[in-house]
Amino acid sequence: MNTSVVVIGAGLTGLLTAYRLQELGFDVAVLEARDRIGGRIHTLESGNAKVEMGATWFNESHYHLLDVIEEFKVPYFEQFMTGKSYFQTFSNVPPQEIAVPNDSPSYRFKNGTIHLLNSIVVKLKPNTIFLNDVVNEVNVLDGDIEVSTNSRTLKADAVITTLPPAALIDQIVFSPALPKDVMSLAEQTHTWMQDAIKVALTYKKPFWREQGKSGTIFSNVGPLTEFYDQSNLENKSYALVGFASGSCARFTKEQRVEKIEAQLKMVFGEDALQYESYHETPWYQEEFTKSNRQEDNLFPHQNGGHALYHEPLFDGKLFISGAETSKHHSGYMEGAIFAAESVVAKLKSLHLTQ
């Protein structure tokens, strides 16, 4: 009888893990709480534009990701950075023109980051992914492990969770309880993107390019701390996308829009206010990303890739995986890939060599 595995989370780690395990002959079910795949990868279609409200960029140092991109034949292109960019150091100093060196370019997916995930999904067996399935409990039994959701109960030989560790301990009850050192570590592991607000504005034309500007803003002042051109490769849809500072969380959406408009007008002039649509994703409000137990004073990537995450629990029945657990580029898409490959190797060793 084939080894059965339940994967919790249909983000990049979960989907690649499921595909790799199915190729090895495992029976796999992927449980996803959201009504969509992707987790912190979220490509939003706005008119004819695709804007990234989650993970977007990668570079040549992300070689595990590049290998997967090549394997699944997912097209990508270099981030547009041509023209004047701007950096604001202090609130009493206007944004200064800067030249951004292009010695280490970033890349984006031609058809949106979601295309990478869709390319994996089409290779999975039918009825592998279950959306709107919120995992509430995981019970370790004598012979197997049981996963209970809002709509079903599944028994398996092993469970792999790909949730951010802080969200994992916040949202799922384990019986027996997880070891105290794992619980404590999870509370102290920073969830990448949890404190971010992603902002996207779409336009009828790339006015910034017509001004000889790259669309890039870096600011210590905000509200936008990083902003980039996110027009498509064919140059038929146009957008500016980036991050608002975490301090913007104390404002209403209307207040954020007002402050963002003022900043964009200061850099680009009146043309910046002629946008077709405004979108924002405050990730700290995302139910299945955030954790009520996550402490605010953690620094980025704190405890990412910690050795405790790499040890299977409950005699090889439970594996904690996901981007935060990767010792290589923790939190990023590259880390998500590395985590998937690592956990697959562990299951292969434990279950296919017995």
Side-chain angles (χ1 to χ4, degrees):
M1 192 170 84
N2 290 348
T3 302
S4 59
V5 179
V6 169
V7 177
I8 303 174
L12 180 53
T13 299
L15 294 174
L16 183 63
T17 297
Y19 173 69
R20 295 278 190 251
L21 291 177
Q22 284 188 350
E23 290 291 284
L24 290 169
F26 289 80
D27 291 329
V28 184
V30 181
L31 304 178
E32 170 55 52
R34 289 180 168 95
D35 60 1
R36 61 173 181 83
I37 63 169
R40 284 167 285 176
I41 290 173
H42 185 28
T43 305
L44 188 68
E45 298 214 12
S46 178
N48 68 336
K50 289 185 173 75
V51 291
E52 303 296 347
M53 305 313 292
T56 306
W57 298 278
F58 56 96
N59 60 47
E60 289 167 2
S61 71
H62 298 170
Y63 48 91
H64 295 91
L65 175 59
L66 288 169
D67 285 346
V68 171
I69 290 170
E70 173 61 29
E71 176 184 353
F72 290 93
K73 306 300 181 200
V74 183
Y76 61 95
F77 66 106
E78 187 175 322
Q79 169 67 41
F80 180 84
M81 296 292 287
T82 303
K84 302 170 187 172
S85 299
Y86 289 85
F87 177 46
Q88 188 175 20
T89 51
F90 304 103
S91 57
N92 59 346
V93 177
Q96 304 296 306
E97 276 186 28
I98 60 169
V100 179
N102 203 26
D103 49 358
S104 181
S106 293
Y107 300 94
R108 289 172 29 224
F109 292 98
K110 177 186 174 185
N111 300 309
T113 313
I114 195 64
H115 188 199
L116 174 64
L117 301 190
N118 289 336
S119 299
I120 298 171
V121 168
V122 296
K123 293 181 177 290
L124 294 176
K125 294 177 181 177
N127 302 314
T128 294
I129 303 170
F130 300 90
L131 299 178
N132 299 300
D133 248 333
V134 183
V135 175
N136 302 311
E137 296 181 25
V138 173
N139 298 308
V140 182
L141 309 173
D142 286 341
D144 48 26
I145 186 166
E146 185 179 81
V147 181
S148 297
T149 77
N150 56 324
S151 61
R152 75 190 75 236
T153 297
L154 297 175
K155 287 188 177 181
D157 297 303
V159 169
I160 302 169
T161 169
T162 67
L163 307 185
L168 171 69
I169 62 169
D170 192 36
Q171 296 168 15
I172 300 177
V173 176
F174 286 85
S175 178
L178 293 176
K180 288 183 179 179
D181 55 353
V182 173
M183 294 282 288
S184 177
L185 175 66
E187 285 186 355
Q188 296 290 320
T189 301
H190 179 254
T191 298
W192 190 241
M193 292 286 289
Q194 173 173 292
D195 39 11
I197 305 173
K198 199 79 183 282
V199 172
L201 292 92
T202 65
Y203 293 88
K204 283 186 177 179
K205 61 180 184 177
F207 66 87
W208 55 94
R209 295 189 182 189
E210 295 166 6
Q211 296 175 1
K213 297 171 182 176
S214 68
T216 303
I217 301 172
F218 302 108
S219 176
N220 292 338
V221 180
L224 298 171
T225 55
E226 293 182 47
F227 225 45
Y228 304 94
D229 180 303
Q230 203 165 106
S231 306
N232 68 358
L233 177 61
E234 296 81 7
N235 205 26
K236 292 181 179 178
S237 69
Y238 314 102
L240 293 170
V241 177
F243 296 91
S245 65
S247 62
C248 287
R250 67 179 187 267
F251 303 125
T252 65
K253 179 180 179 180
E254 290 72 25
Q255 289 171 326
R256 282 195 290 270
V257 170
E258 184 180 342
K259 292 176 182 297
I260 287 168
E261 286 182 344
Q263 183 181 10
L264 291 176
K265 182 180 177 181
M266 180 169 58
V267 175
F268 297 117
E270 290 286 343
D271 287 344
L273 305 184
Q274 308 307 311
Y275 53 88
E276 290 189 295
S277 67
Y278 172 92
H279 304 279
E280 66 172 31
T281 299
W283 283 95
Y284 56 84
Q285 292 179 352
E286 287 286 310
E287 180 182 3
F288 301 112
T289 297
K290 71 180 181 66
S291 165
N292 295 321
R293 300 163 79 154
Q294 182 83 88
E295 298 190 13
D296 293 332
N297 58 353
L298 302 184
F299 56 80
H301 307 296
Q302 181 168 324
N303 286 320
H306 194 283
L308 265 184
Y309 293 130
H310 304 151
E311 296 300 320
L313 301 173
F314 304 125
D315 296 322
K317 291 190 178 78
L318 177 67
F319 298 79
I320 299 179
S321 186
E324 273 72 24
T325 71
S326 173
K327 60 186 179 182
H328 176 72
H329 289 271
S330 170
Y332 294 100
M333 288 187 283
E334 171 73 358
I337 297 286
F338 188 83
E341 307 288 14
S342 299
V343 77
V344 168
K346 286 171 195 160
L347 262 84
K348 183 179 178 181
S349 174
L350 278 173
H351 291 276
L352 297 188
T353 58
Q354 291 178 353

